[in-house]
Amino acid sequence: MKPIFLAAFLAVISGQAHALSCMRPDPIMTFKQEAAAPENYFVLYGELTFDEDLLPDTSTDIRERAVDPIPGQFRGKGLTRKGFTSDYISPVNLEIGCVGPWCGSARSGGDALYFVQATDVPVTMIAGACGGMIFPEPSQAVLDMLTSCMQGGTCSSQSLQ
């Protein structure tokens, strides 16, 4: 009986460990993925403000409930072929994605880079459990490389390392 219990226990543990394995998010890879997607995306750089008290409490088991979108306000710039030159000021919804007990997160205030599907206002900013759509405090090199990507020039994360 013990070998069966041990096998079942290991199967559960390996499933949970697999849920934790995420590829390291990379803004240049995200740009390439979204550029290839059939939907249109905005690449925004600026400040998102919202009530952080509305973020999910990850100390409780949230698998049993949905996380409501959090209303916020974005003030910043959108990426164009000339760089981050297009003013973008708008209400937004922040959607927190969870996988089991692991949830994405965002910070109110401070500059970040956001990849957002181009929809009617308010757009939805997604903070997934594995990240990949929000990049806090990107370097100037990342912003410059994204401009190069947008212009059809060099578009490589390798150049940033």
Short mmCIF file of all heavy atoms in Angstrom, two decimals, residues 78-148:
data_model
loop_
_atom_site.label_atom_id
_atom_site.label_comp_id
_atom_site.label_asym_id
_atom_site.label_seq_id
_atom_site.Cartn_x
_atom_site.Cartn_y
_atom_site.Cartn_z
N GLY A 78 2.49 55.60 -26.03
CA GLY A 78 2.37 54.41 -26.85
C GLY A 78 3.53 54.34 -27.83
O GLY A 78 4.06 55.37 -28.26
N LEU A 79 3.92 53.12 -28.17
CA LEU A 79 5.03 52.90 -29.10
C LEU A 79 4.57 53.15 -30.54
O LEU A 79 3.56 52.61 -30.98
CB LEU A 79 5.55 51.47 -28.96
CG LEU A 79 6.73 51.07 -29.86
CD1 LEU A 79 7.96 51.94 -29.59
CD2 LEU A 79 7.05 49.59 -29.66
N THR A 80 5.33 53.98 -31.24
CA THR A 80 5.14 54.23 -32.67
C THR A 80 6.47 53.93 -33.36
O THR A 80 7.46 53.60 -32.70
CB THR A 80 4.74 55.69 -32.95
OG1 THR A 80 5.86 56.54 -32.67
CG2 THR A 80 3.55 56.12 -32.08
N ARG A 81 6.52 54.11 -34.66
CA ARG A 81 7.78 53.91 -35.38
C ARG A 81 8.85 54.93 -34.97
O ARG A 81 10.03 54.70 -35.20
CB ARG A 81 7.55 53.97 -36.89
CG ARG A 81 6.74 52.79 -37.39
CD ARG A 81 6.77 52.72 -38.90
NE ARG A 81 5.87 51.71 -39.40
CZ ARG A 81 6.16 50.42 -39.48
NH1 ARG A 81 7.31 49.98 -39.07
NH2 ARG A 81 5.28 49.56 -39.94
N LYS A 82 8.44 56.01 -34.33
CA LYS A 82 9.40 57.03 -33.86
C LYS A 82 9.78 56.82 -32.40
O LYS A 82 10.50 57.63 -31.83
CB LYS A 82 8.81 58.42 -34.05
CG LYS A 82 8.61 58.79 -35.50
CD LYS A 82 8.04 60.18 -35.62
CE LYS A 82 7.83 60.53 -37.09
NZ LYS A 82 7.30 61.88 -37.25
N GLY A 83 9.26 55.77 -31.78
CA GLY A 83 9.55 55.51 -30.37
C GLY A 83 8.29 55.67 -29.53
O GLY A 83 7.17 55.63 -30.05
N PHE A 84 8.47 55.87 -28.25
CA PHE A 84 7.33 56.05 -27.35
C PHE A 84 6.93 57.52 -27.41
O PHE A 84 7.29 58.32 -26.55
CB PHE A 84 7.69 55.59 -25.93
CG PHE A 84 7.77 54.10 -25.82
CD1 PHE A 84 8.96 53.43 -26.04
CD2 PHE A 84 6.64 53.35 -25.52
CE1 PHE A 84 9.03 52.05 -25.96
CE2 PHE A 84 6.70 51.97 -25.44
CZ PHE A 84 7.90 51.32 -25.66
N THR A 85 6.18 57.87 -28.46
CA THR A 85 5.89 59.28 -28.74
C THR A 85 4.41 59.62 -28.72
O THR A 85 4.06 60.79 -28.71
CB THR A 85 6.44 59.66 -30.13
OG1 THR A 85 5.85 58.81 -31.12
CG2 THR A 85 7.96 59.52 -30.17
N SER A 86 3.53 58.62 -28.69
CA SER A 86 2.10 58.88 -28.75
C SER A 86 1.51 58.94 -27.34
O SER A 86 1.55 57.94 -26.61
CB SER A 86 1.41 57.77 -29.56
OG SER A 86 0.02 57.95 -29.59
N ASP A 87 0.99 60.11 -26.94
CA ASP A 87 0.36 60.22 -25.62
C ASP A 87 -0.77 59.20 -25.48
O ASP A 87 -1.56 59.02 -26.41
CB ASP A 87 -0.21 61.62 -25.40
CG ASP A 87 0.86 62.66 -25.21
OD1 ASP A 87 1.99 62.30 -24.84
OD2 ASP A 87 0.58 63.86 -25.44
N TYR A 88 -0.82 58.54 -24.34
CA TYR A 88 -1.89 57.59 -24.06
C TYR A 88 -2.30 57.78 -22.61
O TYR A 88 -1.56 57.42 -21.69
CB TYR A 88 -1.44 56.14 -24.31
CG TYR A 88 -2.60 55.18 -24.37
CD1 TYR A 88 -3.22 54.89 -25.58
CD2 TYR A 88 -3.10 54.60 -23.22
CE1 TYR A 88 -4.30 54.01 -25.64
CE2 TYR A 88 -4.18 53.73 -23.27
CZ TYR A 88 -4.78 53.44 -24.48
OH TYR A 88 -5.85 52.59 -24.53
N ILE A 89 -3.47 58.38 -22.43
CA ILE A 89 -4.02 58.62 -21.10
C ILE A 89 -5.44 58.08 -21.13
O ILE A 89 -6.26 58.51 -21.94
CB ILE A 89 -4.02 60.12 -20.76
CG1 ILE A 89 -2.58 60.64 -20.80
CG2 ILE A 89 -4.66 60.38 -19.41
CD1 ILE A 89 -2.46 62.16 -20.79
N SER A 90 -5.71 57.09 -20.26
CA SER A 90 -7.00 56.42 -20.36
C SER A 90 -7.31 55.62 -19.11
O SER A 90 -6.40 55.13 -18.44
CB SER A 90 -6.95 55.47 -21.57
OG SER A 90 -8.14 54.74 -21.67
N PRO A 91 -8.61 55.44 -18.84
CA PRO A 91 -8.97 54.45 -17.82
C PRO A 91 -8.64 53.06 -18.36
O PRO A 91 -8.66 52.84 -19.58
CB PRO A 91 -10.47 54.63 -17.64
CG PRO A 91 -10.95 55.34 -18.84
CD PRO A 91 -9.79 56.09 -19.41
N VAL A 92 -8.32 52.13 -17.48
CA VAL A 92 -7.99 50.76 -17.85
C VAL A 92 -8.59 49.80 -16.83
O VAL A 92 -9.00 50.22 -15.75
CB VAL A 92 -6.46 50.53 -17.92
CG1 VAL A 92 -5.81 51.42 -18.96
CG2 VAL A 92 -5.80 50.73 -16.57
N ASN A 93 -8.62 48.54 -17.20
CA ASN A 93 -8.95 47.47 -16.25
C ASN A 93 -7.71 46.61 -16.11
O ASN A 93 -7.09 46.25 -17.10
CB ASN A 93 -10.12 46.62 -16.74
CG ASN A 93 -11.44 47.32 -16.59
OD1 ASN A 93 -11.67 48.00 -15.59
ND2 ASN A 93 -12.31 47.18 -17.56
N LEU A 94 -7.35 46.29 -14.88
CA LEU A 94 -6.24 45.40 -14.60
C LEU A 94 -6.82 44.03 -14.28
O LEU A 94 -7.60 43.89 -13.34
CB LEU A 94 -5.41 45.92 -13.42
CG LEU A 94 -4.27 45.03 -12.94
CD1 LEU A 94 -3.24 44.80 -14.04
CD2 LEU A 94 -3.62 45.63 -11.70
N GLU A 95 -6.45 43.05 -15.08
CA GLU A 95 -6.93 41.69 -14.88
C GLU A 95 -5.79 40.85 -14.29
O GLU A 95 -4.72 40.75 -14.89
CB GLU A 95 -7.38 41.11 -16.21
CG GLU A 95 -8.04 39.77 -16.10
CD GLU A 95 -8.56 39.32 -17.46
OE1 GLU A 95 -9.51 39.95 -17.96
OE2 GLU A 95 -8.00 38.35 -18.00
N ILE A 96 -6.04 40.28 -13.13
CA ILE A 96 -5.04 39.45 -12.46
C ILE A 96 -5.34 37.99 -12.78
O ILE A 96 -6.42 37.50 -12.49
CB ILE A 96 -5.07 39.67 -10.92
CG1 ILE A 96 -4.91 41.15 -10.57
CG2 ILE A 96 -4.02 38.81 -10.24
CD1 ILE A 96 -3.58 41.75 -10.95
N GLY A 97 -4.37 37.32 -13.40
CA GLY A 97 -4.53 35.90 -13.72
C GLY A 97 -3.93 35.04 -12.63
O GLY A 97 -2.87 35.34 -12.10
N CYS A 98 -4.64 33.98 -12.30
CA CYS A 98 -4.17 33.06 -11.27
C CYS A 98 -4.15 31.63 -11.80
O CYS A 98 -5.00 31.24 -12.60
CB CYS A 98 -5.08 33.11 -10.04
SG CYS A 98 -5.12 34.73 -9.24
N VAL A 99 -3.16 30.88 -11.37
CA VAL A 99 -3.06 29.45 -11.64
C VAL A 99 -2.90 28.80 -10.27
O VAL A 99 -1.85 28.91 -9.65
CB VAL A 99 -1.86 29.12 -12.55
CG1 VAL A 99 -1.74 27.62 -12.74
CG2 VAL A 99 -1.97 29.83 -13.88
N GLY A 100 -3.98 28.19 -9.81
CA GLY A 100 -3.95 27.64 -8.45
C GLY A 100 -3.72 28.78 -7.48
O GLY A 100 -4.32 29.84 -7.58
N PRO A 101 -2.79 28.63 -6.57
CA PRO A 101 -2.54 29.68 -5.58
C PRO A 101 -1.59 30.78 -6.08
O PRO A 101 -1.35 31.73 -5.37
CB PRO A 101 -1.90 28.91 -4.42
CG PRO A 101 -1.24 27.76 -5.07
CD PRO A 101 -2.09 27.38 -6.25
N TRP A 102 -1.08 30.65 -7.30
CA TRP A 102 -0.12 31.64 -7.82
C TRP A 102 -0.84 32.65 -8.69
O TRP A 102 -1.57 32.28 -9.61
CB TRP A 102 0.98 30.95 -8.62
CG TRP A 102 1.70 29.94 -7.79
CD1 TRP A 102 2.67 30.20 -6.87
CD2 TRP A 102 1.49 28.53 -7.77
NE1 TRP A 102 3.08 29.03 -6.28
CE2 TRP A 102 2.37 27.99 -6.82
CE3 TRP A 102 0.64 27.68 -8.47
CZ2 TRP A 102 2.42 26.64 -6.55
CZ3 TRP A 102 0.69 26.34 -8.20
CH2 TRP A 102 1.58 25.83 -7.25
N CYS A 103 -0.63 33.92 -8.40
CA CYS A 103 -1.29 34.99 -9.14
C CYS A 103 -0.27 35.99 -9.66
O CYS A 103 0.78 36.20 -9.06
CB CYS A 103 -2.26 35.75 -8.24
SG CYS A 103 -3.68 34.78 -7.72
N GLY A 104 -0.63 36.61 -10.77
CA GLY A 104 0.16 37.72 -11.27
C GLY A 104 -0.05 38.91 -10.37
O GLY A 104 -0.91 38.91 -9.50
N SER A 105 0.75 39.93 -10.58
CA SER A 105 0.61 41.12 -9.76
C SER A 105 1.07 42.33 -10.56
O SER A 105 1.69 42.19 -11.62
CB SER A 105 1.43 40.99 -8.48
OG SER A 105 1.10 42.04 -7.60
N ALA A 106 0.75 43.46 -10.04
CA ALA A 106 1.18 44.73 -10.63
C ALA A 106 1.36 45.70 -9.49
O ALA A 106 0.90 45.46 -8.36
CB ALA A 106 0.16 45.24 -11.63
N ARG A 107 2.02 46.79 -9.78
CA ARG A 107 2.27 47.80 -8.76
C ARG A 107 1.65 49.10 -9.22
O ARG A 107 1.77 49.48 -10.39
CB ARG A 107 3.78 47.95 -8.60
CG ARG A 107 4.22 48.75 -7.43
CD ARG A 107 5.72 48.72 -7.29
NE ARG A 107 6.36 49.02 -8.58
CZ ARG A 107 7.21 50.01 -8.77
NH1 ARG A 107 7.56 50.77 -7.78
NH2 ARG A 107 7.73 50.22 -9.95
N SER A 108 0.99 49.79 -8.32
CA SER A 108 0.43 51.09 -8.62
C SER A 108 1.54 52.14 -8.52
O SER A 108 2.30 52.15 -7.57
CB SER A 108 -0.70 51.43 -7.65
OG SER A 108 -1.28 52.67 -7.98
N GLY A 109 1.63 52.99 -9.53
CA GLY A 109 2.68 54.01 -9.54
C GLY A 109 3.96 53.41 -10.09
O GLY A 109 4.11 52.20 -10.22
N GLY A 110 4.88 54.23 -10.48
CA GLY A 110 6.13 53.74 -11.05
C GLY A 110 5.94 53.39 -12.52
O GLY A 110 4.86 52.99 -12.94
N ASP A 111 6.97 53.57 -13.30
CA ASP A 111 6.89 53.30 -14.72
C ASP A 111 7.03 51.82 -15.02
O ASP A 111 7.78 51.10 -14.37
CB ASP A 111 7.99 54.07 -15.47
CG ASP A 111 7.71 55.56 -15.52
OD1 ASP A 111 6.52 55.94 -15.46
OD2 ASP A 111 8.65 56.34 -15.63
N ALA A 112 6.29 51.38 -16.02
CA ALA A 112 6.34 49.99 -16.48
C ALA A 112 5.98 49.96 -17.95
O ALA A 112 5.43 50.92 -18.51
CB ALA A 112 5.40 49.11 -15.67
N LEU A 113 6.28 48.84 -18.56
CA LEU A 113 5.98 48.57 -19.95
C LEU A 113 4.79 47.62 -19.97
O LEU A 113 4.79 46.62 -19.24
CB LEU A 113 7.21 47.93 -20.57
CG LEU A 113 7.26 47.64 -22.04
CD1 LEU A 113 7.16 48.93 -22.84
CD2 LEU A 113 8.58 46.95 -22.36
N TYR A 114 3.78 47.91 -20.80
CA TYR A 114 2.56 47.11 -20.84
C TYR A 114 2.27 46.70 -22.29
O TYR A 114 2.29 47.56 -23.18
CB TYR A 114 1.35 47.89 -20.32
CG TYR A 114 1.51 48.34 -18.89
CD1 TYR A 114 2.14 49.55 -18.58
CD2 TYR A 114 1.04 47.57 -17.85
CE1 TYR A 114 2.29 49.96 -17.27
CE2 TYR A 114 1.19 47.97 -16.53
CZ TYR A 114 1.82 49.17 -16.24
OH TYR A 114 1.98 49.57 -14.95
N PHE A 115 1.97 45.43 -22.50
CA PHE A 115 1.48 44.95 -23.79
C PHE A 115 -0.01 44.73 -23.61
O PHE A 115 -0.42 43.95 -22.75
CB PHE A 115 2.19 43.64 -24.17
CG PHE A 115 3.63 43.84 -24.53
CD1 PHE A 115 4.61 43.90 -23.54
CD2 PHE A 115 4.02 44.00 -25.85
CE1 PHE A 115 5.94 44.10 -23.86
CE2 PHE A 115 5.35 44.20 -26.19
CZ PHE A 115 6.31 44.26 -25.19
N VAL A 116 -0.82 45.43 -24.40
CA VAL A 116 -2.26 45.45 -24.21
C VAL A 116 -2.98 45.24 -25.54
O VAL A 116 -2.65 45.91 -26.52
CB VAL A 116 -2.74 46.80 -23.66
CG1 VAL A 116 -3.95 46.66 -22.80
CG2 VAL A 116 -1.69 47.57 -22.93
N GLN A 117 -3.94 44.33 -25.55
CA GLN A 117 -4.72 44.14 -26.77
C GLN A 117 -5.47 45.43 -27.07
O GLN A 117 -6.08 46.04 -26.19
CB GLN A 117 -5.68 42.98 -26.63
CG GLN A 117 -6.33 42.61 -27.95
CD GLN A 117 -7.14 41.35 -27.87
OE1 GLN A 117 -7.14 40.63 -26.87
NE2 GLN A 117 -7.84 41.05 -28.94
N ALA A 118 -5.41 45.85 -28.34
CA ALA A 118 -6.07 47.10 -28.77
C ALA A 118 -7.57 46.85 -28.86
O ALA A 118 -8.04 46.19 -29.78
CB ALA A 118 -5.50 47.55 -30.11
N THR A 119 -8.28 47.36 -27.88
CA THR A 119 -9.74 47.24 -27.85
C THR A 119 -10.30 48.60 -27.50
O THR A 119 -9.56 49.57 -27.31
CB THR A 119 -10.18 46.23 -26.76
OG1 THR A 119 -9.72 46.70 -25.48
CG2 THR A 119 -9.64 44.84 -27.03
N ASP A 120 -11.61 48.67 -27.39
CA ASP A 120 -12.23 49.91 -26.95
C ASP A 120 -11.81 50.21 -25.53
O ASP A 120 -11.47 49.32 -24.75
CB ASP A 120 -13.76 49.79 -27.02
CG ASP A 120 -14.27 49.69 -28.46
OD1 ASP A 120 -13.58 50.21 -29.36
OD2 ASP A 120 -15.33 49.10 -28.67
N VAL A 121 -11.86 51.48 -25.18
CA VAL A 121 -11.53 51.92 -23.82
C VAL A 121 -12.64 51.46 -22.89
O VAL A 121 -13.82 51.53 -23.26
CB VAL A 121 -11.39 53.46 -23.80
CG1 VAL A 121 -11.24 53.99 -22.39
CG2 VAL A 121 -10.21 53.87 -24.68
N PRO A 122 -12.35 50.96 -21.70
CA PRO A 122 -11.01 50.81 -21.15
C PRO A 122 -10.35 49.53 -21.65
O PRO A 122 -10.98 48.48 -21.72
CB PRO A 122 -11.25 50.76 -19.64
CG PRO A 122 -12.60 50.15 -19.49
CD PRO A 122 -13.38 50.59 -20.71
N VAL A 123 -9.06 49.63 -21.99
CA VAL A 123 -8.30 48.44 -22.38
C VAL A 123 -8.04 47.61 -21.13
O VAL A 123 -8.14 48.12 -20.01
CB VAL A 123 -6.97 48.80 -23.09
CG1 VAL A 123 -7.22 49.52 -24.40
CG2 VAL A 123 -6.06 49.59 -22.18
N THR A 124 -7.69 46.35 -21.33
CA THR A 124 -7.41 45.46 -20.22
C THR A 124 -5.93 45.15 -20.16
O THR A 124 -5.35 44.68 -21.14
CB THR A 124 -8.21 44.16 -20.35
OG1 THR A 124 -9.61 44.48 -20.35
CG2 THR A 124 -7.92 43.20 -19.20
N MET A 125 -5.32 45.45 -19.03
CA MET A 125 -3.92 45.11 -18.79
C MET A 125 -3.92 43.80 -18.01
O MET A 125 -4.64 43.68 -17.02
CB MET A 125 -3.23 46.22 -18.00
CG MET A 125 -3.17 47.50 -18.79
SD MET A 125 -2.36 48.81 -17.88
CE MET A 125 -2.01 49.95 -19.21
N ILE A 126 -3.15 42.83 -18.48
CA ILE A 126 -3.19 41.49 -17.89
C ILE A 126 -1.90 41.22 -17.12
O ILE A 126 -0.81 41.30 -17.67
CB ILE A 126 -3.40 40.43 -18.97
CG1 ILE A 126 -4.75 40.66 -19.66
CG2 ILE A 126 -3.31 39.02 -18.38
CD1 ILE A 126 -5.01 39.77 -20.84
N ALA A 127 -2.07 40.88 -15.85
CA ALA A 127 -0.95 40.45 -15.01
C ALA A 127 -1.14 38.95 -14.79
O ALA A 127 -1.84 38.52 -13.87
CB ALA A 127 -0.95 41.20 -13.69
N GLY A 128 -0.57 38.14 -15.67
CA GLY A 128 -0.71 36.69 -15.59
C GLY A 128 0.18 36.10 -14.52
O GLY A 128 1.16 36.72 -14.08
N ALA A 129 -0.13 34.88 -14.13
CA ALA A 129 0.64 34.20 -13.09
C ALA A 129 2.11 34.03 -13.49
O ALA A 129 2.99 34.04 -12.64
CB ALA A 129 0.01 32.84 -12.77
N CYS A 130 2.37 33.91 -14.78
CA CYS A 130 3.75 33.75 -15.25
C CYS A 130 4.33 35.05 -15.80
O CYS A 130 5.45 35.06 -16.33
CB CYS A 130 3.83 32.66 -16.32
SG CYS A 130 3.65 31.00 -15.63
N GLY A 131 3.61 36.13 -15.72
CA GLY A 131 4.10 37.40 -16.23
C GLY A 131 4.09 37.42 -17.75
O GLY A 131 3.43 36.62 -18.39
N GLY A 132 4.81 38.38 -18.33
CA GLY A 132 4.95 38.42 -19.76
C GLY A 132 4.23 39.54 -20.47
O GLY A 132 4.48 39.79 -21.64
N MET A 133 3.32 40.24 -19.79
CA MET A 133 2.61 41.35 -20.42
C MET A 133 2.88 42.68 -19.71
O MET A 133 2.53 43.73 -20.22
CB MET A 133 1.10 41.07 -20.42
CG MET A 133 0.72 39.81 -21.20
SD MET A 133 1.16 39.87 -22.94
CE MET A 133 -0.27 40.64 -23.62
N ILE A 134 3.49 42.62 -18.53
CA ILE A 134 3.85 43.81 -17.76
C ILE A 134 5.31 43.67 -17.34
O ILE A 134 5.70 42.64 -16.78
CB ILE A 134 2.95 43.97 -16.51
CG1 ILE A 134 1.48 44.11 -16.91
CG2 ILE A 134 3.40 45.17 -15.68
CD1 ILE A 134 0.51 44.14 -15.73
N PHE A 135 6.09 44.72 -17.62
CA PHE A 135 7.51 44.70 -17.29
C PHE A 135 7.85 45.97 -16.52
O PHE A 135 7.98 47.05 -17.11
CB PHE A 135 8.36 44.60 -18.57
CG PHE A 135 8.11 43.34 -19.33
CD1 PHE A 135 7.12 43.27 -20.30
CD2 PHE A 135 8.84 42.20 -19.05
CE1 PHE A 135 6.87 42.09 -20.99
CE2 PHE A 135 8.60 41.01 -19.74
CZ PHE A 135 7.61 40.97 -20.71
N PRO A 136 7.98 45.87 -15.19
CA PRO A 136 8.29 47.05 -14.38
C PRO A 136 9.67 47.62 -14.69
O PRO A 136 10.62 46.86 -14.93
CB PRO A 136 8.23 46.55 -12.94
CG PRO A 136 7.58 45.22 -12.99
CD PRO A 136 7.79 44.68 -14.37
N GLU A 137 9.76 48.93 -14.69
CA GLU A 137 11.02 49.67 -14.81
C GLU A 137 11.95 49.13 -15.89
O GLU A 137 13.08 48.72 -15.60
CB GLU A 137 11.72 49.70 -13.45
CG GLU A 137 10.87 50.35 -12.38
CD GLU A 137 11.50 50.30 -11.00
OE1 GLU A 137 12.65 49.85 -10.86
OE2 GLU A 137 10.83 50.74 -10.05
N PRO A 138 11.52 49.11 -17.15
CA PRO A 138 12.41 48.65 -18.21
C PRO A 138 13.57 49.61 -18.41
O PRO A 138 13.44 50.82 -18.17
CB PRO A 138 11.50 48.63 -19.45
CG PRO A 138 10.49 49.69 -19.17
CD PRO A 138 10.26 49.63 -17.68
N SER A 139 14.69 49.10 -18.83
CA SER A 139 15.86 49.95 -19.08
C SER A 139 15.66 50.74 -20.37
O SER A 139 14.82 50.40 -21.20
CB SER A 139 17.12 49.08 -19.19
OG SER A 139 17.04 48.29 -20.38
N GLN A 140 16.46 51.78 -20.52
CA GLN A 140 16.41 52.55 -21.76
C GLN A 140 16.80 51.67 -22.94
O GLN A 140 16.26 51.82 -24.04
CB GLN A 140 17.33 53.78 -21.67
CG GLN A 140 17.20 54.72 -22.87
CD GLN A 140 15.80 55.28 -23.04
OE1 GLN A 140 15.20 55.78 -22.10
NE2 GLN A 140 15.26 55.19 -24.25
N ALA A 141 17.70 50.72 -22.73
CA ALA A 141 18.11 49.81 -23.80
C ALA A 141 16.91 48.98 -24.28
O ALA A 141 16.77 48.75 -25.49
CB ALA A 141 19.24 48.90 -23.32
N VAL A 142 16.05 48.54 -23.37
CA VAL A 142 14.86 47.79 -23.75
C VAL A 142 13.92 48.68 -24.55
O VAL A 142 13.40 48.28 -25.61
CB VAL A 142 14.14 47.20 -22.52
CG1 VAL A 142 12.75 46.70 -22.86
CG2 VAL A 142 14.97 46.08 -21.90
N LEU A 143 13.69 49.90 -24.09
CA LEU A 143 12.81 50.83 -24.81
C LEU A 143 13.35 51.12 -26.21
O LEU A 143 12.60 51.15 -27.19
CB LEU A 143 12.63 52.12 -24.01
CG LEU A 143 12.00 51.97 -22.62
CD1 LEU A 143 11.97 53.31 -21.90
CD2 LEU A 143 10.62 51.35 -22.69
N ASP A 144 14.66 51.32 -26.31
CA ASP A 144 15.29 51.56 -27.62
C ASP A 144 15.16 50.35 -28.53
O ASP A 144 14.91 50.49 -29.73
CB ASP A 144 16.76 51.94 -27.45
CG ASP A 144 16.96 53.30 -26.78
OD1 ASP A 144 15.99 54.10 -26.70
OD2 ASP A 144 18.09 53.55 -26.31
N MET A 145 15.35 49.14 -27.98
CA MET A 145 15.24 47.93 -28.79
C MET A 145 13.80 47.75 -29.28
O MET A 145 13.58 47.33 -30.42
CB MET A 145 15.71 46.70 -28.01
CG MET A 145 15.72 45.42 -28.83
SD MET A 145 16.74 45.47 -30.33
CE MET A 145 18.37 45.54 -29.61
N LEU A 146 12.82 48.06 -28.45
CA LEU A 146 11.43 47.95 -28.88
C LEU A 146 11.14 48.93 -30.03
O LEU A 146 10.41 48.60 -30.96
CB LEU A 146 10.47 48.19 -27.71
CG LEU A 146 10.40 47.03 -26.71
CD1 LEU A 146 9.66 47.45 -25.46
CD2 LEU A 146 9.77 45.80 -27.34
N THR A 147 11.74 50.12 -29.96
CA THR A 147 11.60 51.07 -31.06
C THR A 147 12.21 50.49 -32.33
O THR A 147 11.61 50.56 -33.41
CB THR A 147 12.26 52.43 -30.71
OG1 THR A 147 11.61 52.97 -29.55
CG2 THR A 147 12.16 53.42 -31.85
N SER A 148 13.37 49.87 -32.21
CA SER A 148 14.02 49.23 -33.35
C SER A 148 13.14 48.11 -33.91
O SER A 148 12.99 47.97 -35.13
CB SER A 148 15.39 48.69 -32.95
OG SER A 148 16.00 48.03 -34.04
#
